[in-house]
Amino acid sequence: MLSSTASLKQSGGTEFKRIVFDEETIAGRVRELGREIAAAYPDGELLVLGLLKGSFIFLSDLVRRIERPLQVDFLVAASYGAETISSGNVRLLYDPETELRGKHILLVEDIVDTGKTLNRLVKLLRAREPRSLEICALLHKHLADHLELEPRFVGFDAPQIFLMGYGLDHAENFRNLPYIASLT
Ligand code: IMP
Ligand code: MG
């Protein structure tokens, strides 16, 4: 009989090689992050904004560990293939319905790689005059030359290799892995 790890190992013709962050490690860190975040916002309205699709599993585990009132909404950003587009531009496929002005905004991202996505979103969100804007990233590769806003809350410093699982995809596959695995 296949173990559950073996049956999850292949998807879309690709196979992951090893587990980098296991379920217990992730759950423990998410619990700590929830406490850090609750302590960082003693007052005011908190809106947790998840960047789809990659943050969906992290976000759902995280908000259940933040013991204070909050609201949840989502952002879907269009990824431009061509680098001819000016980096100040980002197109939102889904724009949060919720009013941002005057609220503490916590933007939740799966992984910070080059930082381009976040740099664009930070400018766009700041223009909406939130009371504060911070980033919570599950993983940080520390590859970016310049970040408009360094994530205040980081789950793990990640190795600079391709990672998947726990929401992160490889060509849309592997998002359902309960742990984070690598191709190499
Ligand atoms: P950035 O704009 O280069 O920081 O890329 C951010 C986005 O690229 C993330 O939100 C992910 O969706 C994706 N990404 C970057 N690195 C990885 C990885 O190692 N595995 C899966 N997705 C990644
Ligand atoms: Mg992706």
Side-chain angles (χ1 to χ4, degrees):
M1 200 182 101
L2 289 172
S3 74
S4 67
T5 301
S7 63
L8 286 170
K9 213 160 181 185
Q10 289 200 32
S11 186
T14 304
E15 186 175 299
F16 76 73
K17 290 294 180 295
R18 66 190 169 91
I19 295 173
V20 180
F21 299 103
D22 65 27
E23 286 184 69
E24 289 70 25
T25 305
I26 295 170
R29 186 68 190 115
V30 169
R31 207 172 297 123
E32 288 174 358
L33 281 173
R35 281 197 290 263
E36 285 176 38
I37 291 166
Y41 296 101
D43 56 45
E45 288 182 85
L46 175 61
L47 174 65
V48 180
L49 262 187
L51 182 55
L52 292 177
K53 301 176 199 171
S55 75
F56 83 110
I57 293 179
F58 174 46
L59 180 93
S60 67
D61 284 345
L62 181 66
V63 291
R64 284 177 285 180
R65 297 297 178 185
I66 303 175
E67 293 187 13
R68 61 102 71 209
L70 56 77
Q71 296 179 347
V72 176
D73 209 333
F74 298 95
L75 281 175
V76 185
S79 49
Y80 294 110
E83 274 313 294
T84 49
I85 312 248
S86 106
S87 66
N89 288 329
V90 63
R91 194 160 59 92
L92 294 182
L93 299 181
Y94 173 76
D95 198 342
E97 303 280 329
T98 322
E99 174 71 66
L100 306 192
R101 184 170 292 116
K103 289 181 183 161
H104 294 298
I105 306 300
L106 181 64
L107 181 61
V108 177
E109 168 69 307
D110 53 356
I111 186 164
V112 185
D113 189 350
T114 67
K116 283 180 186 162
T117 313
L118 278 180
N119 283 345
R120 292 167 184 177
L121 285 175
V122 162
K123 286 180 186 164
L124 188 144
L125 293 173
R126 276 187 176 143
R128 302 195 180 174
E129 302 177 354
R131 176 168 168 188
S132 69
L133 176 65
E134 300 287 356
I135 295 164
C136 176
L138 174 63
L139 299 160
H140 194 339
K141 285 189 182 171
H142 296 281
L143 273 171
D145 302 332
H146 165 73
L147 288 180
E148 285 289 322
L149 179 61
E150 189 61 43
R152 175 163 175 190
F153 309 98
V154 175
F156 303 100
D157 290 333
Q160 295 176 352
I161 54 175
F162 197 84
L163 298 169
M164 55 234 214
Y166 198 68
L168 289 97
D169 73 303
H170 176 266
E172 293 302 325
N173 296 306
F174 294 108
R175 291 194 197 273
N176 61 324
L177 298 181
Y179 36 75
I180 295 165
S182 75
L183 277 180
T184 52

